[in-house]
Amino acid sequence: DLLALKDIGENDTLSFRNWTHDMFVFMCIISGCDYCKGVPGIGLKLAHKIVRVHRTPAKIFNALRSAGRMPPDFEETFWIAFRTFRHQRVFCLSKGLVEPLWP
């Protein structure tokens, strides 16, 4: 089943109430995405919990380090992936041109 991002707060499996878009992106990056391998052994549910509890990248990185789960280059690749998500360019069918996904 597909769920629109605007309706993510209605999801029954994982609660996204009071989450920002950036927190959702943090979860995606930690669990692994096209732009970052993520943290080995961490899937969406655990990534969701980590972001829900720690909320900011600095606190997330500290928690991963404390647990001995922080890959050596993860912080750098995390920020590259985050900037890629924030500055994606997509083709707009209605306008017929490439534009930023997030203006």
Side-chain angles (χ1 to χ4, degrees):
D1 291 338
L2 293 178
L3 185 64
L5 188 57
K6 68 179 179 60
D7 299 325
I8 200 83
E10 305 305 316
N11 180 30
D12 292 333
T13 307
L14 299 173
S15 175
F16 292 97
R17 294 189 194 285
N18 301 316
W19 275 49
T20 65
H21 182 265
D22 284 350
M23 290 171 67
F24 185 81
V25 173
F26 300 159
M27 179 190 70
C28 295
I29 295 169
I30 292 167
S31 64
C33 62
D34 289 347
Y35 309 123
C36 178
K37 291 180 183 178
V39 179
I42 295 183
L44 275 177
K45 286 185 179 180
L46 184 52
H48 177 274
K49 180 180 178 182
I50 291 167
V51 174
R52 180 176 45 82
V53 170
H54 301 289
R55 302 189 71 82
T56 67
K59 291 177 182 176
I60 291 167
F61 298 150
N62 285 338
L64 291 172
R65 277 190 204 97
S66 295
R69 298 190 79 161
M70 181 85 153
D73 61 342
F74 181 71
E75 190 168 351
E76 180 182 347
T77 57
F78 173 94
W79 287 116
I80 292 168
F82 181 74
R83 286 190 299 272
T84 302
F85 272 112
R86 297 301 283 160
H87 301 286
Q88 291 181 75
R89 295 170 48 93
V90 296
F91 183 78
C92 177
L93 290 173
S94 62
K95 295 178 185 174
L97 51 92
V98 176
E99 62 183 13
L101 181 60
W102 303 104

